[in-house]
Amino acid sequence: MSDAIKVLDHGFVRLVDTMGDEQAIVDAARVSYQQGTQKTRNNRGLIRYLMRRGHTSPLEMCELKIHVKMPIFVARQWIRHRTASLNEVSGRYSVLPSEFYLPEKDCIKMQSKQNKQGGSEPVSSSIASVVQDVMKEGALQNYQDYENILQGYGVCEIARETARMVLPLSLYTEMYWKIDLHNLLHFLRLRLDSHAQYEIRVYAEAIAKIVQDWVPIVWEAFVDYKLEAHPFSRQEMDVIRRVFASYEGDGSVQGTPREVREFFAAVALKES
Amino acid sequence: MSDAIKVLDHGFVRLVDTMGDEQAIVDAARVSYQQGTQKTRNNRGLIRYLMRRGHTSPLEMCELKIHVKMPIFVARQWIRHRTASLNEVSGRYSVLPSEFYLPEKDCIKMQSKQNKQGGSEPVSSSIASVVQDVMKEGALQNYQDYENILQGYGVCEIARETARMVLPLSLYTEMYWKIDLHNLLHFLRLRLDSHAQYEIRVYAEAIAKIVQDWVPIVWEAFVDYKLEAHPFSRQEMDVIRRVFASYEGDGSVQGTPREVREFFAAVALKES
Amino acid sequence: MSDAIKVLDHGFVRLVDTMGDEQAIVDAARVSYQQGTQKTRNNRGLIRYLMRRGHTSPLEMCELKIHVKMPIFVARQWIRHRTASLNEVSGRYSVLPSEFYLPEKDCIKMQSKQNKQGGSEPVSSSIASVVQDVMKEGALQNYQDYENILQGYGVCEIARETARMVLPLSLYTEMYWKIDLHNLLHFLRLRLDSHAQYEIRVYAEAIAKIVQDWVPIVWEAFVDYKLEAHPFSRQEMDVIRRVFASYEGDGSVQGTPREVREFFAAVALKES
Amino acid sequence: MSDAIKVLDHGFVRLVDTMGDEQAIVDAARVSYQQGTQKTRNNRGLIRYLMRRGHTSPLEMCELKIHVKMPIFVARQWIRHRTASLNEVSGRYSVLPSEFYLPEKDCIKMQSKQNKQGGSEPVSSSIASVVQDVMKEGALQNYQDYENILQGYGVCEIARETARMVLPLSLYTEMYWKIDLHNLLHFLRLRLDSHAQYEIRVYAEAIAKIVQDWVPIVWEAFVDYKLEAHPFSRQEMDVIRRVFASYEGDGSVQGTPREVREFFAAVALKES
């Protein structure tokens, strides 16, 4: 059982188990393509080909299971990814522990005007202090209420499922989470994005490290063809093609011969 | 657009749209079974046969879309049903309104000893009053903190995604939720169960009414073959067969000839 | 890599990999239920409780990957189970080998009148021989046509994706197939059923053996609470309750105290 | 019930039902984003924004149901899209009709050397004739065998589930197929691609027409941001940025101010 990676003030990501590796992806792909893959010299070439072409089904042959502890408002975003299995601690069965997320000062930001869903610049240190204090006090008061209700003010034990309603979204929760590699990469693409909320992005970053260690060639291909790739719209492609009309080519396009050929086709250039 | 059904103190279930009806189920089943369904005289017989046999794919041909408003702790149970589509109000994009669930006095119960996940008897009225007061005060204080943080204590607007962390699980949220009839019935089976938390059960009951109006024959079959059916384990079946060994039969078994035949087979009796 | 289990004349099921075991199920369940599971003395008790109650999410924490070779008409039934990952050999990429399923004589049956979807008694040996001969000849002729088309009658190589159209549904195909334990048990429940076609049932039986070796306590619980359990409809329960009205009880109901209590509740008897 | 669109020689796509329209997408999005969408002047702008940003959940609020008739080898590709509901004619319940796909002469192509999965140039007319004849004869012989087996050579009716094994992959099958708009667009993106097999591509084209009539603004956005968009890899983006280093800008970039800004950011240019 691996060590947990600390995330935020009380959270973590802990690798529990994996199924499969890069060889497993290649084995599954070769079942599908057989003769179609004969010429592919090596695993790396095949994996990059699969990623580039969006032939994602062999990636589903790998599976990751982690144990995660995160604030409830993060869990609520997380669980929107439906193609995964999970077991979360239940506030009906258990008394939830007193652990709350308190943002660092420089994570308390002004509401962005352009990005409706996020923040922009950190607020001043003094305002941040006030916010932290209010958050901390509120959370402690909520937890005090929770305990009091649980204990029925000394008279009778009240149902956990009722008492928990007073707990705030900053409370930490835990889950086992299991997902296949294809769907995991999709999760990471969305949650590593600069528009993702900081507090889930740091979990995505911790998981990205695990993936990078686990299947480094897949990760590299994912970065090249998905994470740092850029899609241009039909209209933008018109501009790109016009600009490239006067491009002479300088041999600098990297990739397999097929990739180079396709790049030139995309920008509507004869190969120089 | 239909009227909303009120649920809990501030919640509702509002039917937005449906796709298909009982004829649509029958049409789809007849594509599959064609000659296999020729003898089935009518839609009712066919639908009951499908339900009894667990031939659920034709039920997927119907779809329900509702608009629901429920407390966050209910939404968190709801969303565990993954085979559905949803759009929930986002606390990153919007300022969330000040509406909290406050349980009725007789919904504040003692923790059950036998049912780890639920409550048993209501607490005394005086304790219930205290709990209600504490819940109300806590929620109002949380919301006050939320507004103060949003306004940065008069200095600057702070990001909604940060401020919302202080809100409690009793806060109301809203979503559009769309699901096919097969998966909806599975949801209802779990959430109408006496072990489901009261606060989600009342939503399930409201949806059950909608389903009953929409596809009454399906609903009746669902009640007979799923909701009020009972599965006996291998060991229990041994007892039942032993007890039935001295059963003479009294013509009281209802159902199609096939059902009667199968009942007698199940209890290991020759047909009387 | 384990040995393949032979199925039908040219097929097999080969275990490729598993993720998790019974401890993994218990670990995930304990994350959810924590205090709720404290009293459960052992893994066996907890697993049986989960199966009986339909708390299936911890079962999703285990995953099975197999390599299967089966006739195309079996693959077409198999693939209806959507919650799985698979890579099947592609007739576009590869020339498909000349292997066809030929049923054993006693698998060639008369069309059942009662069971629209299946056969009843085997036909006579002489008719069976004729059918086998026709099937064999037809398949060989189809494959000869396939090869001729591929080779363009000596003139040019024709596209595999076109040539394969002439191949029959009895042709063998191969796939890697990966599924979680919960969905696998659902697959097995349907495909071990006596109404399932013989040719897929034998694959289910081979997989059942693998599951039994892998997670024996889960398998036992699955047999007791699902496979050999029997659900009685609302109407049938009325009969059962009436018959049990004169049942004295003889201490023969097996199970945990809770199960015994619930059995008596189900048959509407006071515990004797 | 709408008229069927003819596809291939005996196939069709027939619209059965839809749920929702562009207003339904907008309604669902506004539940999520509320204040975040206040400034978006109109439905068209909002829908294009959702498509561009990959905010696909509101698209799931629309649903399409069609009745399709296609050859079995097409059905086998089709069914790989798992997030859909379907009811297909069953060869266990019904005698399958004698209808086979016979490719037009110019659809019989040479195997492509570069595209492992497809064809290139049509073969000569004389070879194509031979192939057609062989396909036709083979299919008729297969069907004759099927009928003979079904009739047990006059002696007894043999099980349909057995007899069907001799039928070829060119046989037509039928299904009801229901899918949400998000997953439908994904299906169309893959199956309208030039690498998709011709025989499924023509079905995708028929469905594309239905979608275009149903939700024209969604379709337009899909074409601009997905179908005719082009993703460049990390390495390709380096080349594009270098080429654009000497681009002066000519005001020709179309789109919303935000899109123009983001285009210039992507190509690493200061806005001219």
Side-chain angles (χ1 to χ4, degrees), chain A residues 8 71 73-75 77 101 103 107 109 115 117-119 135 190-205, chain B residues 90-93 159-165:
Chain A
L8 298 181
F73 70 90
V74 171
Q77 297 181 336
Y101 168 61
C107 294
K109 299 189 170 176
N115 175 7
Q117 63 184 314
M135 284 182 158
L190 295 183
R191 301 307 178 177
L192 289 173
D193 190 276
S194 63
H195 287 84
Q197 185 164 358
Y198 168 78
E199 282 85 4
I200 195 166
R201 210 162 61 225
V202 288
Y203 285 90
E205 285 164 1
Chain B
S90 163
R92 300 184 73 200
Y93 281 93
R160 292 180 287 269
E161 64 176 13
T162 301
R164 64 167 167 170
M165 298 172 197

Side-chain angles (χ1 to χ4, degrees), chain C residues 116-128:
Chain C
K116 302 286 181 211
Q117 62 185 316
S120 53
E121 298 303 297
V123 299
S124 72
S125 175
S126 57
I127 293 288

Side-chain angles (χ1 to χ4, degrees), chain A residues 129-189:
Chain A
S129 285
V130 175
V131 171
Q132 283 184 324
D133 288 350
V134 166
M135 284 182 158
K136 195 169 183 178
E137 251 173 74
L140 290 173
Q141 183 58 52
N142 286 156
Y143 200 81
Q144 186 60 58
D145 291 347
Y146 175 59
E147 284 194 310
N148 286 339
I149 294 172
L150 281 177
Q151 295 157 16
Y153 297 87
V155 176
C156 60
E157 208 181 323
I158 288 183
R160 292 180 286 270
E161 63 177 14
T162 300
R164 64 164 167 172
M165 297 172 198
V166 304
L167 292 167
L169 294 173
S170 59
L171 190 83
Y172 273 92
T173 183
E174 280 181 50
M175 60 172 78
Y176 266 49
W177 189 63
K178 175 173 150 291
I179 192 167
D180 71 57
L181 181 54
H182 165 58
N183 282 289
L184 178 60
L185 293 177
H186 184 67
F187 172 90
L188 291 178
R189 182 136 75 127

Side-chain angles (χ1 to χ4, degrees), chain B residues 82 224 232 234 242 252, chain C residues 60 224 230 234 242 252:
Chain B
R82 289 160 291 182
D224 288 349
F232 288 105
R234 185 173 68 80
R242 205 162 51 244
S252 68
Chain C
E60 293 182 29
D224 288 350
H230 189 91
R234 186 174 68 80
R242 203 162 52 241
S252 68

Side-chain angles (χ1 to χ4, degrees), chain C residues 213-227:
Chain C
D213 282 351
W214 173 33
V215 283
I217 295 169
V218 170
W219 181 256
E220 190 191 77
F222 172 65
V223 170
D224 288 350
Y225 296 121
K226 302 288 165 187
L227 207 57

Side-chain angles (χ1 to χ4, degrees), chain A residues 75-101:
Chain A
R76 275 171 46 74
Q77 297 181 336
W78 200 295
I79 210 172
R80 290 293 285 117
H81 299 263
R82 289 160 291 181
T83 314
S85 296
L86 74 91
N87 283 100
E88 186 183 352
V89 60
S90 164
R92 300 184 73 199
Y93 281 92
S94 305
V95 174
L96 301 168
S98 175
E99 287 182 306
F100 304 88
Y101 168 61

Side-chain angles (χ1 to χ4, degrees), chain B residues 53 60 82 195 224-225 228-237 242-244 247 252 254 263 266, chain C residues 53 60 82 195 224-225 228-237 242-244 247 252 254 263 266:
Chain B
R53 285 286 173 186
E60 293 182 30
R82 289 160 291 182
H195 288 85
D224 288 349
Y225 296 119
E228 298 188 15
H230 189 90
F232 288 105
S233 71
R234 185 173 68 80
Q235 289 83 350
E236 290 171 336
M237 284 304 296
R242 205 162 51 244
V243 169
F244 268 85
Y247 173 61
S252 68
Q254 295 171 349
F263 176 75
Chain C
R53 284 287 174 185
E60 293 182 29
R82 288 160 292 183
H195 288 84
D224 288 350
Y225 296 121
E228 299 188 14
H230 189 91
F232 289 106
S233 70
R234 186 174 68 80
Q235 288 84 349
E236 291 171 335
M237 285 304 295
R242 203 162 52 241
V243 169
F244 267 85
Y247 173 62
S252 68
Q254 294 173 349
F263 176 75

Side-chain angles (χ1 to χ4, degrees), chain D residues 161-194:
Chain D
E161 64 177 14
T162 301
R164 64 166 167 172
M165 297 173 198
V166 303
L167 292 168
L169 294 173
S170 59
L171 191 83
Y172 273 92
T173 183
E174 282 181 49
M175 61 173 76
Y176 266 49
W177 190 63
K178 174 173 150 289
I179 192 168
D180 70 57
L181 181 54
H182 166 57
N183 283 289
L184 177 60
L185 293 178
H186 185 67
F187 172 91
L188 290 178
R189 181 136 76 128
L190 295 184
R191 301 309 178 176
L192 289 173
D193 189 274
S194 63

